[in-house]
Structures are given as structure tokens and as C-alpha cells.
Amino acid sequence: MDFDFQVIIDALPDLWKGAQLTIKITLLGLIGGVLLGGLVGVILAYVPAWADKEFRQKHPIESLWLPILSWIAQAYVLLIRGTPMVVQVMFIYFAFPLIFQIRVDGTTAAIATLIINSGAYIAEIVRGSLLSVSKGLYEAGQAMGLPFYKIVTKIIGPIAFRRMIPALGNQCIISLKDTSIFIVIGVAELTRQGQEIMATNYRAIEIWGAVAFFYLVMTGIFAIALKIIEKRMRIL
């Protein structure tokens, strides 16, 4: 079978549309995932699952609801990491509307799934990075009379963020490639566009080669950008 570049040239407009939607889903999903994962990661790192006697005496109200918050965060991470992403998107797209009687379009379901899925993995990245910072810095912030949120955002957070950049970069690339799963609910992202084009011209080598090239370019740009960020923010 001869390789025909004209097939790829003719398919470029549709593939570009798919690539644009893939980037949109990835960026929105990762922004939401970072916010969700950051919150859950802080909870997992610093909120006690079981309040000891001293904590209950000093904080009687907090000792009641903080452990519940910690258990919810742990259950969320366990549930999402323990189930396939394709099952999650199918549940959000097909089951969620039946339960709550609201309509969810494919793109919204895809973005929501990516937020929820990436958030669970980012939460563990954040938790590990926060706990890797010396406890002495946390105690120093307490000795200065700083509130908890300032200790985390001003002292521990900047150091932990530098340490989590490589892992976050890896998650970004994984999430970008995972958008191909949304073909199961008909989202017209890059893989879906490639499938539809191939169904009309049956040129599998050219079309899937072009799709692979698009993914390689997008992940390459992500990787280069993250390498630059990592280099500029490295801890000397």
C-alpha cells in the first residue's frame, strides 16, 4: 500500500479541530484537577484521621468534623484510583443524568471526568510533596504565630511546589493522552476525528500516523514547557 501525503493534507483541518478540543479539555481538566487535588492533598497531609486526646481537649469542635473530612478525602482518592477512567466517564455521562435528572453533554462530561480523575492523582502528589518538607519549617511558622493557611502557602507551599513539578508534569502528559478515552461518549476530540476520517477513506496508515504525530507534538510541547519551569524553579 502506497503512503499518500495528500490524504493527511486533506484531513488536517478536521484533525486540527480535534486537537483544539483535546487541548481545551486537557487544560480545563487540569486546572480543575490541580485545584481539587491541591485541596484534597492538604487535607490528606495535615488533617488528622483520628483526633488524639490532646487535640480533642484543645479543639473539641474541630475534633468532630475534621476526621470526617479526612475520611471523605481518603475515600475519594481510593475510589477514583481504584476504578478505570472509562467507567468514570460512562457513569458521569449516562448514570449521572438519570440520578439527578439533568442533561450532561459529552464535552462537559469529559472535562468533569478529567477534573475528578486527575484530582485524585494530584492529591497524592501534593500530599507527598508537603510531607517531604521538614517539619521544622511548620513548627517555625507556628512559633511565629502564623495561621495554618499562611504556613502552608508562604513557607511550606513554595518548597513543596518545586518538588512536585516533575510529577505534575508527568500527570499533565498522562491526562492529555487520556482524553482519547472520551471517544466512547462521542466527544469529537483528536482520536474521534481520526476514526471518523478513516471510516470514510480507509487510509489507516496515513490517518493514524497523523493522529500519533499530533499527540507527539502536543505532549512534546508540554514536556518542554515543564522542563523550562522545572529548571527555572529548581532548588539549589
Side-chain angles (χ1 to χ4, degrees), residues 57-228:
Q57 290 176 344
K58 292 183 178 179
H59 311 280
I61 298 177
E62 289 86 344
S63 64
L64 296 176
W65 64 269
L66 283 180
I68 297 175
L69 188 64
S70 178
W71 294 335
I72 292 173
Q74 292 178 48
Y76 158 68
V77 172
L78 178 64
L79 175 65
I80 299 304
R81 293 174 66 192
T83 56
M85 190 175 183
V86 66
V87 174
Q88 296 163 14
V89 71
M90 297 287 264
F91 182 88
I92 292 175
Y93 187 66
F94 291 108
F96 193 83
L98 294 175
I99 296 172
F100 297 99
Q101 299 299 312
I102 56 174
R103 187 177 181 278
V104 180
D105 64 88
T107 303
T108 302
I111 294 171
T113 302
L114 198 60
I115 290 173
I116 294 169
N117 184 271
S118 63
Y121 291 93
I122 291 173
E124 284 297 297
I125 294 172
V126 171
R127 181 187 69 85
S129 299
L130 290 174
L131 293 178
S132 72
V133 179
S134 172
K135 288 185 66 176
L137 292 175
Y138 184 81
E139 293 169 354
Q142 287 182 314
M144 294 171 62
L146 295 175
F148 172 76
Y149 76 92
K150 281 194 175 182
I151 296 175
V152 173
T153 57
K154 301 294 185 181
I155 300 176
I156 298 177
I159 298 174
F161 179 72
R162 287 168 169 81
R163 294 180 177 178
M164 69 177 75
I165 287 175
L168 282 177
N170 188 52
Q171 182 59 45
C172 289
I173 293 173
I174 290 173
S175 295
L176 189 151
K177 293 187 294 183
D178 281 347
T179 57
S180 61
I181 292 174
F182 302 138
I183 190 176
V184 299
I185 59 172
V187 177
E189 42 73 54
L190 182 57
T191 303
R192 176 74 176 188
Q193 291 285 7
Q195 183 189 50
E196 291 182 352
I197 295 169
M198 197 203 68
T200 60
N201 61 19
Y202 302 102
R203 306 290 294 194
I205 297 176
E206 292 89 343
I207 297 304
W208 290 122
V211 169
F213 179 76
F214 266 93
Y215 276 114
L216 184 61
V217 169
M218 290 189 293
T219 56
I221 292 172
F222 263 94
I224 292 171
L226 289 163
K227 281 291 184 182
I228 293 172

